[in-house]
Amino acid sequence: MNPNEIHTPVMLERCIELLEPAISRPGAVIVDATLGMGGHSEAILDRFDNVTLIGLDRDTDALRIAGERLARFGDRFRPVHTVYDGIADAVAGEGFDHIDGVLFDLGVSSLQLDMAERGFAYAKDAPLDMRMDQTQGMTAADVLATYSEGQLRRIFEVYGEEKLSGRYARAILSARESEPILTSTQLVSILTDATPGALLSAGHPAKRVFQALRIEVNAELAAVEAAIPAAMNLLNIGGRIVVMSYQSLEDRFVKRAFAAASSSTGPKGLPVELEEFAPRFRLITKGAELADEAERQRNPRSIPVRTRAAERVRKAQ
């Protein structure tokens, strides 16, 4: 498999532009917290010959492909098999106390979407696996087989923001009484049959349910909520964090985390800002940046991306 044929890194040039002031310094260390097939990492290692890059991924297929792609960089590339909320242990394990940059490209990777057998894509028939790390954990089929109606409704509502969550949960429970729901085609059929005809033209009925199942199987939101603060704590003064989110739940959390870190913690009304209350970060992007129209046309997977960046300006007290 040639990773260049199936993977176009999203907002590559903008990400590098945002990170450059932090990682152009001699001996800089950057973490690609969502390595995937190594597209962003390859560009960074090519353009900054002073950089050591630690690449994290829970997906063993991704680590193998990226490892082959980035082998030419020798010890400047350090792959680590871990979920991104393990960033602090990964950095320490590679012998570093702090880092100068970190990049998160959240959500499902091109590798996982394009390999039909992984079960992430509702448009392709495959076993309902959806595990980013296929060495452990429950599959999407396990969730569909064991969760109660209330549990299914909750994850569809919270992780998929699905308005028909109750209807879909009931349809799944009814269908699994006849036979196990093991493939994406089975699930799509159940959801389509449960969707009122007037809503079938409003978008694919499986899109939000598949998103919700993927997030549940991989505990994605919990990992994001732990990983972003941990990554920010690792940054040196002048270090930068860039986060690309593809769905609103992730982006809202990143927005809140950045806002808190870039705000004063002092009591209101003080005549002078005391240093211990001063913001630890400054925002680099104004709100969330989108891919430009040319990239959206060229690479449809960039359409939902929301990119935010911040720079560390003060150490924690």
Side-chain angles (χ1 to χ4, degrees):
M1 179 184 295
N2 183 350
N4 294 305
E5 294 178 354
I6 62 172
H7 176 51
T8 303
V10 172
M11 293 187 72
L12 176 62
E13 295 303 323
R14 181 55 175 154
C15 287
I16 290 177
E17 181 183 8
L18 290 167
L19 289 165
E20 182 172 10
I23 64 175
S24 57
R25 65 188 72 173
V29 178
I30 183 171
V31 175
D32 185 342
T34 47
L35 178 63
M37 288 181 288
H40 288 97
S41 289
E42 183 176 44
I44 290 168
L45 288 165
D46 264 331
R47 299 189 199 188
F48 302 95
D49 57 13
N50 56 294
V51 159
T52 296
L53 186 144
I54 302 170
L56 315 183
D57 212 295
R58 69 174 84 184
D59 190 325
T60 54
D61 285 337
L63 285 169
R64 174 182 53 78
I65 292 170
E68 294 170 358
R69 181 179 192 170
L70 305 178
R72 61 190 174 93
F73 296 106
D75 193 48
R76 291 178 55 216
F77 170 59
R78 316 279 187 89
V80 180
H81 181 217
T82 186
V83 183
Y84 38 71
D85 60 1
I87 185 171
D89 288 339
V91 169
E94 293 301 321
F96 300 101
D97 296 323
H98 296 90
I99 59 177
D100 301 288
V102 58
L103 173 66
F104 287 87
D105 186 3
L106 299 173
V108 64
S109 75
S110 295
L111 172 66
Q112 292 154 352
L113 282 173
D114 291 331
M115 294 181 69
E117 64 270 21
R118 301 293 295 271
F120 286 94
Y122 53 79
K124 301 174 182 178
D125 188 31
L128 284 167
D129 190 318
M130 295 194 191
R131 291 173 299 169
M132 292 179 178
D133 182 351
Q134 291 189 299
T135 67
Q136 60 183 332
M138 68 190 316
T139 67
D142 294 331
V143 170
L144 295 173
T146 61
Y147 277 30
S148 68
E149 179 183 329
Q151 288 174 310
L152 290 173
R153 181 190 298 120
R154 179 189 65 80
I155 66 171
F156 297 161
E157 284 178 351
V158 175
Y159 298 156
E161 299 178 292
E162 175 54 68
K163 294 178 180 178
L164 299 177
S165 57
R167 179 188 288 260
Y168 288 157
R170 289 190 296 274
I172 287 166
L173 259 67
S174 176
R176 78 188 189 191
E177 291 179 359
S178 302
E179 61 177 345
I181 305 169
L182 302 177
T183 70
S184 53
T185 297
Q186 283 179 279
L187 180 55
V188 168
S189 177
I190 293 165
L191 298 173
T192 301
D193 289 345
T195 303
L199 298 179
L200 285 173
S201 61
H204 200 292
K207 181 178 180 179
R208 295 181 183 276
V209 169
F210 270 62
Q211 173 182 296
L213 287 170
R214 188 201 81 216
I215 291 172
E216 175 71 8
V217 165
N218 296 289
E220 289 180 48
L221 288 182
V224 169
E225 290 175 2
I228 299 300
M232 295 172 79
N233 286 337
L234 288 169
L235 287 169
N236 286 313
I237 301 295
R240 292 189 170 195
I241 177 172
V242 176
V243 183
M244 289 185 284
S245 305
Y246 294 81
Q247 44 110 340
S248 59
L249 294 172
E250 293 170 339
D251 184 56
R252 283 200 292 268
F253 174 78
V254 175
K255 179 181 179 180
R256 289 196 301 268
F258 281 15
S262 60
S263 301
S264 170
T265 58
K268 292 183 179 181
L270 290 179
V272 178
E273 174 83 276
L274 300 178
E275 184 177 352
E276 61 263 34
F277 298 135
R280 296 177 295 118
F281 283 79
R282 73 175 182 91
L283 302 182
I284 304 169
T285 53
K286 185 177 181 180
E289 293 188 357
L290 311 179
D292 62 32
E293 186 58 33
E295 179 169 2
R296 291 157 71 93
Q297 292 289 333
R298 184 175 65 253
N299 181 12
R301 288 180 185 167
S302 70
I303 292 173
V305 72
R306 302 290 184 272
T307 299
R308 299 180 187 271
E311 178 182 329
R312 183 155 208 162
V313 295
R314 186 177 68 83
K315 289 184 178 179
Q317 294 296 313

